[in-house]
mmCIF file with all atom_site columns, all heavy atoms in Angstrom:
data_model
loop_
_atom_site.group_PDB
_atom_site.id
_atom_site.type_symbol
_atom_site.label_atom_id
_atom_site.label_alt_id
_atom_site.label_comp_id
_atom_site.label_asym_id
_atom_site.label_entity_id
_atom_site.label_seq_id
_atom_site.pdbx_PDB_ins_code
_atom_site.Cartn_x
_atom_site.Cartn_y
_atom_site.Cartn_z
_atom_site.occupancy
_atom_site.B_iso_or_equiv
_atom_site.pdbx_formal_charge
_atom_site.auth_seq_id
_atom_site.auth_comp_id
_atom_site.auth_asym_id
_atom_site.auth_atom_id
_atom_site.pdbx_PDB_model_num
ATOM 1  N N   . LEU A 1 71  ? 113.208 235.356 192.693 1.00 95.00 ? 71  LEU A N   1
ATOM 2  C CA  . LEU A 1 71  ? 113.615 233.941 192.504 1.00 95.00 ? 71  LEU A CA  1
ATOM 3  C C   . LEU A 1 71  ? 112.815 233.318 191.404 1.00 95.00 ? 71  LEU A C   1
ATOM 4  O O   . LEU A 1 71  ? 111.590 233.338 191.430 1.00 95.00 ? 71  LEU A O   1
ATOM 5  C CB  . LEU A 1 71  ? 113.295 233.158 193.808 1.00 95.00 ? 71  LEU A CB  1
ATOM 6  C CG  . LEU A 1 71  ? 114.039 233.614 195.084 1.00 95.00 ? 71  LEU A CG  1
ATOM 7  C CD1 . LEU A 1 71  ? 113.567 232.832 196.310 1.00 95.00 ? 71  LEU A CD1 1
ATOM 8  C CD2 . LEU A 1 71  ? 115.536 233.457 194.947 1.00 95.00 ? 71  LEU A CD2 1
ATOM 9  N N   . MET A 1 172 ? 109.642 239.279 182.463 1.00 98.00 ? 172 MET A N   1
ATOM 10 C CA  . MET A 1 172 ? 108.569 239.773 181.433 1.00 98.00 ? 172 MET A CA  1
ATOM 11 C C   . MET A 1 172 ? 108.434 238.687 180.352 1.00 98.00 ? 172 MET A C   1
ATOM 12 O O   . MET A 1 172 ? 107.297 238.444 180.006 1.00 98.00 ? 172 MET A O   1
ATOM 13 C CB  . MET A 1 172 ? 109.073 241.100 180.892 1.00 98.00 ? 172 MET A CB  1
ATOM 14 C CG  . MET A 1 172 ? 108.950 242.155 182.006 1.00 98.00 ? 172 MET A CG  1
ATOM 15 S SD  . MET A 1 172 ? 109.377 243.825 181.440 1.00 98.00 ? 172 MET A SD  1
ATOM 16 C CE  . MET A 1 172 ? 111.126 243.824 181.740 1.00 98.00 ? 172 MET A CE  1
ATOM 17 N N   . THR A 1 203 ? 134.661 242.856 190.593 1.00 93.00 ? 203 THR A N   1
ATOM 18 C CA  . THR A 1 203 ? 135.156 244.060 191.330 1.00 93.00 ? 203 THR A CA  1
ATOM 19 C C   . THR A 1 203 ? 134.090 245.143 191.385 1.00 93.00 ? 203 THR A C   1
ATOM 20 O O   . THR A 1 203 ? 134.118 246.006 190.487 1.00 93.00 ? 203 THR A O   1
ATOM 21 C CB  . THR A 1 203 ? 136.436 244.641 190.701 1.00 93.00 ? 203 THR A CB  1
ATOM 22 O OG1 . THR A 1 203 ? 136.304 244.576 189.278 1.00 93.00 ? 203 THR A OG1 1
ATOM 23 C CG2 . THR A 1 203 ? 137.662 243.871 191.097 1.00 93.00 ? 203 THR A CG2 1
ATOM 24 N N   . LYS A 1 270 ? 121.454 244.669 167.068 1.00 96.00 ? 270 LYS A N   1
ATOM 25 C CA  . LYS A 1 270 ? 121.996 246.015 167.182 1.00 96.00 ? 270 LYS A CA  1
ATOM 26 C C   . LYS A 1 270 ? 121.869 246.439 168.649 1.00 96.00 ? 270 LYS A C   1
ATOM 27 O O   . LYS A 1 270 ? 120.861 246.229 169.277 1.00 96.00 ? 270 LYS A O   1
ATOM 28 C CB  . LYS A 1 270 ? 121.167 246.981 166.276 1.00 96.00 ? 270 LYS A CB  1
ATOM 29 C CG  . LYS A 1 270 ? 121.655 248.409 166.418 1.00 96.00 ? 270 LYS A CG  1
ATOM 30 C CD  . LYS A 1 270 ? 120.950 249.292 165.317 1.00 96.00 ? 270 LYS A CD  1
ATOM 31 C CE  . LYS A 1 270 ? 121.260 250.753 165.573 1.00 96.00 ? 270 LYS A CE  1
ATOM 32 N NZ  . LYS A 1 270 ? 121.603 251.484 164.374 1.00 96.00 ? 270 LYS A NZ  1
ATOM 33 N N   . ALA A 1 314 ? 95.422  238.206 159.768 1.00 91.00 ? 314 ALA A N   1
ATOM 34 C CA  . ALA A 1 314 ? 96.173  237.365 158.822 1.00 91.00 ? 314 ALA A CA  1
ATOM 35 C C   . ALA A 1 314 ? 95.999  235.847 159.200 1.00 91.00 ? 314 ALA A C   1
ATOM 36 O O   . ALA A 1 314 ? 96.399  235.016 158.425 1.00 91.00 ? 314 ALA A O   1
ATOM 37 C CB  . ALA A 1 314 ? 97.610  237.745 158.801 1.00 91.00 ? 314 ALA A CB  1
#
Side-chain angles (χ1 to χ4, degrees):
L71 297 175
M172 293 182 270
T203 40
K270 179 172 171 135

